Amino acid sequence: TRYYIINVGDTRAYEMYDGISALTKDHSVVAREVELGNLTEEEAENDPRRSVLLQCIGASDVVYPDVFFGDTKKDAVYMLCSDGFRHLISKEEIYANLNPSVMLNEDMMRNNMLGLIELNKQRQERDNITVLTVRTF
């Protein structure tokens, strides 16, 4: 089975298997600066331009989406999330709560995602918080 992702903006897709891996790239100023070697990942997380998008649906007259595809893995979790879901929680927290060993059924998946949404709210996230997961077996 394959996945196909068409992406514009800073919504991200991840694969969680034996770690967490981003499947998409942001269309943001800081992502471009990291790619060019002008910023480190750590600097980008605190850069005041981190929310400045180079293109997005609804605000850009023309968009040029990126297309990503690959083979799905057995016993993996695939996640699509808004930037508000991932601003104030770490990749380690996401993986600890959404990795395949703790996402075994629909109730566990829902509860684990809701737990991270609540953690974001407790940390005063102001952006929209959206997350969707798919578990393979």
Side-chain angles (χ1 to χ4, degrees):
T1 305
R2 295 183 57 81
Y3 62 81
Y4 297 89
I5 304 165
I6 299 173
N7 186 58
V8 173
D10 58 358
T11 295
R12 289 188 190 167
Y14 290 92
E15 176 184 74
M16 285 172 267
Y17 183 66
D18 56 0
I20 183 170
S21 303
L23 299 175
T24 58
K25 296 188 306 184
D26 292 354
H27 292 135
S28 66
V29 170
V30 294
R32 182 186 63 199
E33 292 298 307
V34 169
E35 192 172 330
L36 293 172
N38 297 329
L39 287 176
T40 66
E41 291 282 341
E42 294 76 28
E43 291 170 332
E45 288 185 21
N46 297 311
D47 193 288
R49 303 169 295 168
R50 75 178 189 172
S51 295
V52 178
L53 297 177
L54 298 172
Q55 62 174 346
C56 62
I57 295 173
S60 302
D61 290 336
V62 177
V63 295
Y64 300 94
D66 289 330
V67 177
F68 303 92
F69 58 91
D71 294 318
T72 59
K73 293 180 179 160
K74 183 180 181 201
D75 296 320
V77 173
Y78 293 88
M79 179 182 75
L80 180 65
C81 69
S82 65
D83 57 332
F85 179 77
R86 60 180 166 74
H87 278 160
L88 300 178
I89 58 176
S90 67
K91 287 182 181 177
E92 293 78 18
E93 289 172 313
I94 293 171
Y95 186 75
N97 287 277
L98 302 182
N99 74 75
S101 69
V102 297
M103 299 282 276
L104 299 176
N105 60 50
E106 187 177 338
D107 287 337
M108 292 173 83
M109 292 173 73
R110 182 182 305 108
N111 290 337
N112 293 353
M113 287 186 290
L114 287 173
L116 287 176
I117 289 169
E118 290 305 315
L119 182 59
N120 271 297
K121 290 177 182 178
Q122 290 171 11
R123 293 181 180 171
Q124 305 298 307
E125 177 58 57
R126 300 218 177 269
D127 206 340
N128 70 73
I129 302 171
T130 304
V131 62
L132 172 136
T133 56
V134 175
R135 170 69 156 89
T136 62
F137 289 95

